[in-house]
């Protein structure tokens, strides 16, 4: 583990490290004192997406906010055969190794978007390690693909664009990465002024790296291939720990799915509700998110 420079101006009180997660370098920030809590971001963000809630959570928990492999300042691997290096199983194992490196064998997880898909797989693969899990603005991957219709394809076109064979989406995004990233974020966020310009600059810095863009495509390619195989093999398996699903009341997931019903197909103890925002409660409605997390994580 190596201490590195971070952005204390954005996430005060945190210390940044590059962690060797069983051979994969993962960037993580840690702060606080109390029960361990892992925060996982989505696409196209980095761990800095948690900047409005992480310092508050650190008053009650030992908070670890990490970049997923391929994202942010974590290592960018080749996709491997059948996109195996970006399977949610591999990405979940990274984060378990990160938490163990910090000395934690059992921990809670709060995760958004792609990170929430990693957290779902983590809860299945490591049922003795995850104590409870909060998933932000997703329905299960297999459910969303199985129920694809014109409306979902229109709203979530990147699910079908990013999975195209390399290097088609990589080259097309590479023509103007900042434009693609900003249109993606602005299209999903429904709360004016929610994005911190400093955080957007960090997202853009990371997205400017062609290795990051390739890794992101591999993440989506894995979701449409090997992840679905893993999900099918575990179709009878349910998450055993308490699961809270929260979603943006002005976003796509709640509009197209009965979110709680989809998760009750996948977990034995499910609760949750909509939050008045778009896709990113942690940036758009941080107090409402904290209000929901407090009692759930403290239970």
């Amino acid at each position: 583990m190596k201490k590195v420079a971070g952005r204390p101006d954005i996430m005060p009180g945190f210390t940044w490290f590059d962690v060797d997660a069983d051979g994969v370098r993962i960037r993580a920030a840690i702060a606080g004192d109390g029960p361990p809590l892992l925060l996982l971001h989505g696409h196209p963000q980095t761990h800095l997406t948690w900047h409005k809630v992480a310092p508050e959570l650190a008053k009650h928990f030992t908070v670890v906010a990490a970049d997923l492999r391929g994202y942010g300042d974590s290592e960018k691997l080749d996709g491997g055969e059948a996109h195996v290096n970006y399977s949610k199983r591999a990405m979940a194992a990274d984060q378990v190794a990160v938490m163990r490196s910090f000395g934690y064998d059992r921990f809670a997880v709060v995760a958004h978007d792609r990170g929430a898909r990693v957290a779902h797989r983590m809860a299945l693969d490591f049922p003795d390690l995850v104590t409870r899990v909060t998933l932000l603005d997703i329905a299960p991957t297999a459910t969303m693909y199985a129920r694809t219709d014109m409306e979902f394809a229109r709203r979530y076109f990147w699910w079908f664009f990013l999975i195209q064979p390399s290097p088609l989406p990589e080259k097309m995004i590479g023509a103007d990465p900042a434009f693609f990233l900003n249109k993606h974020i602005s299209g999903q966020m429904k709360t004016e002024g929610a994005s911190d310009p400093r955080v957007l600059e960090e997202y853009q810095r990371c997205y400017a790296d062609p290795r990051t863009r390739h890794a992101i495509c591999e993440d989506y390619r894995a979701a449409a291939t090997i992840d679905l195989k893993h999900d099918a093999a575990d179709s009878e398996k349910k998450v055993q720990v308490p699961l809270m699903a929260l979603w943006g009341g002005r976003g796509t997931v709640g509009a197209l799915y009965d979110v709680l019903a989809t998760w009750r197909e996948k977990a034995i103890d499910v609760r949750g509700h909509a939050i008045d925002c778009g896709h990113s409660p942690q940036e758009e409605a941080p107090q409402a998110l904290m209000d929901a997390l407090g009692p759930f994580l403290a239970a």
Side-chain angles (χ1 to χ4, degrees):
M1 186 182 300
K2 178 184 177 183
K3 188 175 179 179
V4 296
R7 291 299 304 265
D9 59 316
I10 297 175
M11 280 175 50
F14 279 77
T15 304
W16 280 260
F17 294 91
D18 276 346
V19 181
D20 181 352
D22 294 335
V24 179
R25 180 181 53 77
I26 299 295
R27 178 64 55 86
I30 184 169
D33 185 23
L37 173 63
L38 174 64
L39 305 181
L40 297 177
H41 66 88
H43 168 253
Q45 292 90 358
T46 72
H47 72 279
L48 292 176
T49 192
W50 303 106
H51 69 105
K52 293 181 181 179
V53 297
E56 287 299 310
L57 288 168
K59 294 177 181 178
H60 308 283
F61 301 92
T62 300
V63 174
V64 176
D67 286 339
L68 299 169
R69 69 163 61 180
Y71 288 80
D73 288 305
S74 287
E75 187 172 353
K76 291 93 173 69
L77 290 83
D78 177 76
E81 184 176 354
H83 317 294
V84 66
N85 286 336
Y86 289 89
S87 70
K88 303 311 159 289
R89 175 161 283 158
M91 297 170 87
D94 290 344
Q95 302 301 331
V96 168
V98 166
M99 295 303 282
R100 283 177 169 158
S101 294
F102 284 119
Y104 302 113
D105 287 324
R106 284 174 56 78
F107 50 90
V109 186
V110 176
H112 174 240
D113 190 74
R114 310 308 294 175
R117 302 187 189 286
V118 173
H120 178 205
R121 173 46 58 186
M122 186 186 297
L124 292 174
D125 286 358
F126 301 95
D128 296 330
L129 306 187
V130 176
T131 58
R132 52 187 53 224
V133 60
T134 301
L135 307 179
L136 301 183
D137 211 57
I138 69 164
T141 304
T143 302
M144 292 176 76
Y145 270 125
R147 299 182 188 175
T148 292
D149 58 14
M150 178 65 78
E151 185 62 15
F152 173 66
R154 183 183 68 80
R155 291 187 185 219
Y156 269 33
F157 76 92
W158 55 90
W159 272 44
F160 309 94
F161 169 54
L162 297 177
I163 68 175
Q164 297 306 308
S166 178
L168 177 64
E170 289 93 332
K171 282 188 174 293
M172 293 179 72
I173 297 169
D176 196 341
F179 175 81
F180 183 83
L181 180 144
N182 288 327
K183 288 294 288 185
H184 188 91
I185 291 176
S186 64
Q188 289 196 298
M189 281 186 154
K190 307 299 182 184
T191 306
E192 188 174 354
S195 295
D196 185 317
R198 300 169 301 167
V199 177
L200 281 175
E201 287 177 5
E202 281 292 297
Y203 297 162
Q204 290 170 354
R205 175 183 67 81
C206 297
Y207 223 76
D209 186 341
R211 298 172 304 162
T212 298
R213 300 194 298 271
H214 176 64
I216 287 166
C217 291
E218 286 297 300
D219 170 18
Y220 279 85
R221 290 173 184 133
T225 54
I226 191 169
D227 289 343
L228 293 180
K229 292 180 180 179
H230 292 160
D231 286 346
D234 287 340
S235 61
E236 301 302 316
K237 213 186 233 188
K238 288 196 171 187
V239 174
Q240 299 296 302
V241 300
L243 184 153
M244 181 165 67
L246 303 171
W247 62 95
R250 288 181 267 153
T252 292
V253 172
L256 298 188
Y257 306 98
D258 181 334
V259 181
L260 295 183
T262 69
W263 285 110
R264 286 177 178 136
E265 296 171 357
K266 306 295 183 181
I268 63 170
D269 181 355
V270 176
R271 78 289 306 271
H273 57 267
I275 291 176
D276 184 22
C277 64
H279 179 55
S280 300
Q282 71 279 7
E283 294 193 54
E284 297 182 68
Q287 188 56 56
L289 176 58
M290 289 293 297
D291 291 344
L293 289 177
F296 178 69
L297 293 175

